mmCIF file of all heavy atoms in Angstrom:
data_model
loop_
_atom_site.group_PDB
_atom_site.id
_atom_site.type_symbol
_atom_site.label_atom_id
_atom_site.label_comp_id
_atom_site.label_asym_id
_atom_site.label_seq_id
_atom_site.Cartn_x
_atom_site.Cartn_y
_atom_site.Cartn_z
ATOM 1 N N SER A 1 -17.950 -8.857 -7.285
ATOM 2 C CA SER A 1 -17.777 -9.823 -8.301
ATOM 3 C C SER A 1 -17.283 -11.149 -7.738
ATOM 4 O O SER A 1 -17.012 -12.076 -8.510
ATOM 5 C CB SER A 1 -16.901 -9.410 -9.437
ATOM 6 O OG SER A 1 -17.371 -8.230 -10.011
ATOM 7 N N GLN A 2 -17.062 -11.233 -6.405
ATOM 8 C CA GLN A 2 -16.579 -12.420 -5.699
ATOM 9 C C GLN A 2 -15.204 -12.910 -6.283
ATOM 10 O O GLN A 2 -15.043 -14.120 -6.532
ATOM 11 C CB GLN A 2 -17.621 -13.516 -5.893
ATOM 12 C CG GLN A 2 -18.942 -13.131 -5.205
ATOM 13 C CD GLN A 2 -19.989 -14.272 -5.267
ATOM 14 O OE1 GLN A 2 -19.811 -15.335 -5.908
ATOM 15 N NE2 GLN A 2 -21.107 -14.093 -4.530
ATOM 16 N N LYS A 3 -14.283 -11.993 -6.427
ATOM 17 C CA LYS A 3 -12.977 -12.354 -6.896
ATOM 18 C C LYS A 3 -12.129 -12.663 -5.653
ATOM 19 O O LYS A 3 -12.459 -12.456 -4.507
ATOM 20 C CB LYS A 3 -12.338 -11.161 -7.645
ATOM 21 C CG LYS A 3 -13.112 -10.829 -8.947
ATOM 22 C CD LYS A 3 -13.038 -12.099 -9.841
ATOM 23 C CE LYS A 3 -13.709 -11.753 -11.243
ATOM 24 N NZ LYS A 3 -15.129 -11.544 -11.188
ATOM 25 N N ALA A 4 -10.867 -13.253 -5.912
ATOM 26 C CA ALA A 4 -10.017 -13.654 -4.863
ATOM 27 C C ALA A 4 -9.503 -12.480 -3.983
ATOM 28 O O ALA A 4 -9.355 -12.666 -2.770
ATOM 29 C CB ALA A 4 -8.800 -14.310 -5.497
ATOM 30 N N ALA A 5 -9.423 -11.284 -4.519
ATOM 31 C CA ALA A 5 -9.005 -10.102 -3.776
ATOM 32 C C ALA A 5 -10.208 -9.096 -3.723
ATOM 33 O O ALA A 5 -10.803 -8.854 -4.750
ATOM 34 C CB ALA A 5 -7.769 -9.455 -4.364
ATOM 35 N N GLY A 6 -10.466 -8.627 -2.534
ATOM 36 C CA GLY A 6 -11.639 -7.712 -2.448
ATOM 37 C C GLY A 6 -11.330 -6.479 -1.709
ATOM 38 O O GLY A 6 -10.217 -5.884 -1.824
ATOM 39 N N ILE A 7 -12.268 -5.976 -0.905
ATOM 40 C CA ILE A 7 -12.180 -4.664 -0.266
ATOM 41 C C ILE A 7 -10.935 -4.549 0.654
ATOM 42 O O ILE A 7 -10.133 -3.608 0.582
ATOM 43 C CB ILE A 7 -13.420 -4.320 0.535
ATOM 44 C CG1 ILE A 7 -14.638 -4.178 -0.442
ATOM 45 C CG2 ILE A 7 -13.250 -3.131 1.316
ATOM 46 C CD1 ILE A 7 -15.962 -3.890 0.273
ATOM 47 N N ARG A 8 -10.775 -5.524 1.490
ATOM 48 C CA ARG A 8 -9.687 -5.474 2.458
ATOM 49 C C ARG A 8 -8.319 -5.515 1.834
ATOM 50 O O ARG A 8 -7.380 -4.752 2.146
ATOM 51 C CB ARG A 8 -9.803 -6.646 3.470
ATOM 52 C CG ARG A 8 -11.038 -6.550 4.416
ATOM 53 C CD ARG A 8 -11.045 -7.706 5.380
ATOM 54 N NE ARG A 8 -11.086 -8.975 4.686
ATOM 55 C CZ ARG A 8 -10.971 -10.159 5.294
ATOM 56 N NH1 ARG A 8 -10.709 -10.171 6.597
ATOM 57 N NH2 ARG A 8 -11.037 -11.253 4.595
ATOM 58 N N THR A 9 -8.235 -6.455 0.863
ATOM 59 C CA THR A 9 -6.897 -6.625 0.124
ATOM 60 C C THR A 9 -6.513 -5.333 -0.552
ATOM 61 O O THR A 9 -5.391 -4.812 -0.499
ATOM 62 C CB THR A 9 -6.962 -7.771 -0.880
ATOM 63 O OG1 THR A 9 -7.289 -8.955 -0.140
ATOM 64 C CG2 THR A 9 -5.563 -7.930 -1.528
ATOM 65 N N PHE A 10 -7.479 -4.773 -1.293
ATOM 66 C CA PHE A 10 -7.161 -3.520 -2.077
ATOM 67 C C PHE A 10 -6.913 -2.363 -1.140
ATOM 68 O O PHE A 10 -5.981 -1.498 -1.444
ATOM 69 C CB PHE A 10 -8.361 -3.213 -3.004
ATOM 70 C CG PHE A 10 -8.310 -3.923 -4.308
ATOM 71 C CD1 PHE A 10 -8.628 -5.257 -4.411
ATOM 72 C CD2 PHE A 10 -7.897 -3.283 -5.444
ATOM 73 C CE1 PHE A 10 -8.501 -5.929 -5.648
ATOM 74 C CE2 PHE A 10 -7.841 -3.889 -6.739
ATOM 75 C CZ PHE A 10 -8.176 -5.278 -6.792
ATOM 76 N N SER A 11 -7.610 -2.227 -0.093
ATOM 77 C CA SER A 11 -7.347 -1.189 0.844
ATOM 78 C C SER A 11 -5.960 -1.289 1.513
ATOM 79 O O SER A 11 -5.211 -0.275 1.654
ATOM 80 C CB SER A 11 -8.394 -1.170 1.954
ATOM 81 O OG SER A 11 -8.183 -0.080 2.848
ATOM 82 N N LEU A 12 -5.544 -2.516 1.815
ATOM 83 C CA LEU A 12 -4.223 -2.696 2.397
ATOM 84 C C LEU A 12 -3.118 -2.444 1.386
ATOM 85 O O LEU A 12 -2.047 -1.886 1.748
ATOM 86 C CB LEU A 12 -4.122 -4.162 2.905
ATOM 87 C CG LEU A 12 -4.885 -4.494 4.135
ATOM 88 C CD1 LEU A 12 -4.907 -5.986 4.438
ATOM 89 C CD2 LEU A 12 -4.427 -3.713 5.396
ATOM 90 N N ILE A 13 -3.375 -2.783 0.109
ATOM 91 C CA ILE A 13 -2.330 -2.469 -0.912
ATOM 92 C C ILE A 13 -2.185 -0.966 -1.124
ATOM 93 O O ILE A 13 -1.097 -0.486 -1.233
ATOM 94 C CB ILE A 13 -2.772 -3.155 -2.234
ATOM 95 C CG1 ILE A 13 -2.617 -4.689 -2.128
ATOM 96 C CG2 ILE A 13 -1.894 -2.631 -3.359
ATOM 97 C CD1 ILE A 13 -3.131 -5.420 -3.286
ATOM 98 N N SER A 14 -3.311 -0.200 -1.134
ATOM 99 C CA SER A 14 -3.236 1.215 -1.235
ATOM 100 C C SER A 14 -2.505 1.840 -0.074
ATOM 101 O O SER A 14 -1.704 2.792 -0.154
ATOM 102 C CB SER A 14 -4.573 1.852 -1.365
ATOM 103 O OG SER A 14 -5.213 1.447 -2.596
ATOM 104 N N LEU A 15 -2.865 1.336 1.156
ATOM 105 C CA LEU A 15 -2.131 1.809 2.337
ATOM 106 C C LEU A 15 -0.602 1.497 2.279
ATOM 107 O O LEU A 15 0.145 2.376 2.678
ATOM 108 C CB LEU A 15 -2.736 1.148 3.595
ATOM 109 C CG LEU A 15 -4.092 1.639 4.051
ATOM 110 C CD1 LEU A 15 -4.709 0.778 5.117
ATOM 111 C CD2 LEU A 15 -4.056 3.085 4.452
ATOM 112 N N LEU A 16 -0.230 0.342 1.717
ATOM 113 C CA LEU A 16 1.116 0.007 1.648
ATOM 114 C C LEU A 16 1.828 0.977 0.643
ATOM 115 O O LEU A 16 2.912 1.457 1.001
ATOM 116 C CB LEU A 16 1.268 -1.466 1.091
ATOM 117 C CG LEU A 16 2.701 -1.948 0.962
ATOM 118 C CD1 LEU A 16 3.253 -2.233 2.342
ATOM 119 C CD2 LEU A 16 2.616 -3.317 0.193
ATOM 120 N N GLY A 17 1.183 1.274 -0.452
ATOM 121 C CA GLY A 17 1.773 2.225 -1.403
ATOM 122 C C GLY A 17 1.957 3.607 -0.773
ATOM 123 O O GLY A 17 2.958 4.311 -0.981
ATOM 124 N N ALA A 18 0.964 4.011 0.023
ATOM 125 C CA ALA A 18 1.007 5.311 0.697
ATOM 126 C C ALA A 18 2.102 5.356 1.747
ATOM 127 O O ALA A 18 2.928 6.354 1.828
ATOM 128 C CB ALA A 18 -0.300 5.652 1.340
ATOM 129 N N VAL A 19 2.235 4.316 2.556
ATOM 130 C CA VAL A 19 3.236 4.330 3.598
ATOM 131 C C VAL A 19 4.633 4.342 3.060
ATOM 132 O O VAL A 19 5.597 5.051 3.426
ATOM 133 C CB VAL A 19 3.080 3.122 4.509
ATOM 134 C CG1 VAL A 19 4.200 2.936 5.418
ATOM 135 C CG2 VAL A 19 1.763 3.237 5.302
ATOM 136 N N PHE A 20 4.855 3.486 2.000
ATOM 137 C CA PHE A 20 6.208 3.403 1.371
ATOM 138 C C PHE A 20 6.520 4.728 0.696
ATOM 139 O O PHE A 20 7.696 5.072 0.622
ATOM 140 C CB PHE A 20 6.216 2.202 0.405
ATOM 141 C CG PHE A 20 6.421 0.868 1.043
ATOM 142 C CD1 PHE A 20 6.439 -0.284 0.287
ATOM 143 C CD2 PHE A 20 6.556 0.806 2.430
ATOM 144 C CE1 PHE A 20 6.635 -1.496 0.891
ATOM 145 C CE2 PHE A 20 6.737 -0.503 3.062
ATOM 146 C CZ PHE A 20 6.794 -1.617 2.263
ATOM 147 N N THR A 21 5.565 5.380 0.117
ATOM 148 C CA THR A 21 5.827 6.693 -0.574
ATOM 149 C C THR A 21 6.180 7.688 0.500
ATOM 150 O O THR A 21 7.146 8.526 0.230
ATOM 151 C CB THR A 21 4.567 7.155 -1.313
ATOM 152 O OG1 THR A 21 4.243 6.140 -2.243
ATOM 153 C CG2 THR A 21 4.821 8.459 -2.046
ATOM 154 N N ILE A 22 5.531 7.758 1.572
ATOM 155 C CA ILE A 22 5.863 8.749 2.647
ATOM 156 C C ILE A 22 7.285 8.487 3.161
ATOM 157 O O ILE A 22 8.066 9.406 3.363
ATOM 158 C CB ILE A 22 4.790 8.663 3.760
ATOM 159 C CG1 ILE A 22 3.462 9.139 3.272
ATOM 160 C CG2 ILE A 22 5.312 9.416 5.022
ATOM 161 C CD1 ILE A 22 2.347 8.925 4.260
ATOM 162 N N VAL A 23 7.632 7.216 3.371
ATOM 163 C CA VAL A 23 8.991 6.872 3.827
ATOM 164 C C VAL A 23 10.024 7.262 2.801
ATOM 165 O O VAL A 23 11.046 7.759 3.129
ATOM 166 C CB VAL A 23 9.070 5.355 4.120
ATOM 167 C CG1 VAL A 23 10.491 4.985 4.493
ATOM 168 C CG2 VAL A 23 8.125 5.002 5.290
ATOM 169 N N ALA A 24 9.683 7.057 1.501
ATOM 170 C CA ALA A 24 10.548 7.474 0.385
ATOM 171 C C ALA A 24 10.759 8.933 0.352
ATOM 172 O O ALA A 24 11.956 9.360 0.078
ATOM 173 C CB ALA A 24 10.031 6.935 -0.895
ATOM 174 N N LEU A 25 9.782 9.674 0.728
ATOM 175 C CA LEU A 25 9.947 11.146 0.679
ATOM 176 C C LEU A 25 10.670 11.647 1.955
ATOM 177 O O LEU A 25 11.252 12.751 1.868
ATOM 178 C CB LEU A 25 8.536 11.883 0.708
ATOM 179 C CG LEU A 25 7.714 11.616 -0.590
ATOM 180 C CD1 LEU A 25 6.316 12.174 -0.441
ATOM 181 C CD2 LEU A 25 8.387 12.256 -1.805
ATOM 182 N N GLU A 26 10.669 10.911 2.996
ATOM 183 C CA GLU A 26 11.314 11.362 4.194
ATOM 184 C C GLU A 26 12.680 10.803 4.491
ATOM 185 O O GLU A 26 13.477 11.431 5.214
ATOM 186 C CB GLU A 26 10.329 11.076 5.418
ATOM 187 C CG GLU A 26 9.020 11.726 5.349
ATOM 188 C CD GLU A 26 9.081 13.240 5.472
ATOM 189 O OE1 GLU A 26 10.069 13.672 6.018
ATOM 190 O OE2 GLU A 26 8.190 13.898 4.914
ATOM 191 N N THR A 27 13.025 9.604 3.935
ATOM 192 C CA THR A 27 14.293 9.016 4.216
ATOM 193 C C THR A 27 14.954 8.594 2.920
ATOM 194 O O THR A 27 14.281 8.348 1.912
ATOM 195 C CB THR A 27 14.099 7.716 5.077
ATOM 196 O OG1 THR A 27 13.249 6.772 4.306
ATOM 197 C CG2 THR A 27 13.389 8.082 6.412
ATOM 198 N N PRO A 28 16.308 8.537 2.933
ATOM 199 C CA PRO A 28 17.039 8.203 1.752
ATOM 200 C C PRO A 28 16.848 6.801 1.300
ATOM 201 O O PRO A 28 17.053 6.425 0.095
ATOM 202 C CB PRO A 28 18.494 8.529 2.056
ATOM 203 C CG PRO A 28 18.538 8.453 3.545
ATOM 204 C CD PRO A 28 17.219 8.957 4.025
ATOM 205 N N VAL A 29 16.526 5.839 2.180
ATOM 206 C CA VAL A 29 16.342 4.468 1.831
ATOM 207 C C VAL A 29 14.935 4.101 1.437
ATOM 208 O O VAL A 29 14.643 2.923 1.070
ATOM 209 C CB VAL A 29 16.778 3.557 3.039
ATOM 210 C CG1 VAL A 29 18.288 3.744 3.299
ATOM 211 C CG2 VAL A 29 15.982 3.821 4.260
ATOM 212 N N GLY A 30 14.051 5.063 1.563
ATOM 213 C CA GLY A 30 12.633 4.783 1.343
ATOM 214 C C GLY A 30 12.285 4.438 -0.094
ATOM 215 O O GLY A 30 11.333 3.691 -0.407
ATOM 216 N N SER A 31 13.075 5.038 -1.062
ATOM 217 C CA SER A 31 12.799 4.730 -2.488
ATOM 218 C C SER A 31 12.926 3.224 -2.755
ATOM 219 O O SER A 31 12.177 2.687 -3.553
ATOM 220 C CB SER A 31 13.663 5.536 -3.393
ATOM 221 O OG SER A 31 15.045 5.332 -3.061
ATOM 222 N N GLY A 32 13.836 2.629 -2.130
ATOM 223 C CA GLY A 32 14.073 1.184 -2.317
ATOM 224 C C GLY A 32 12.889 0.450 -1.814
ATOM 225 O O GLY A 32 12.435 -0.555 -2.383
#
């Protein structure tokens, strides 16, 4: 649809959510 955010942006955002969740599960400061 030629929007401002596309495949790369959305993929990076999902990766960011996954990484921060894994850190949150493994370390006490990850939830922050």
Side-chain angles (χ1 to χ4, degrees):
S1 300
Q2 298 182 351
K3 296 299 185 289
I7 293 178
R8 293 182 301 170
T9 303
F10 274 76
S11 182
L12 290 171
I13 290 174
S14 292
L15 286 172
L16 184 68
V19 170
F20 281 178
T21 301
I22 292 171
V23 174
L25 294 174
E26 299 294 335
T27 63
V29 296
S31 56

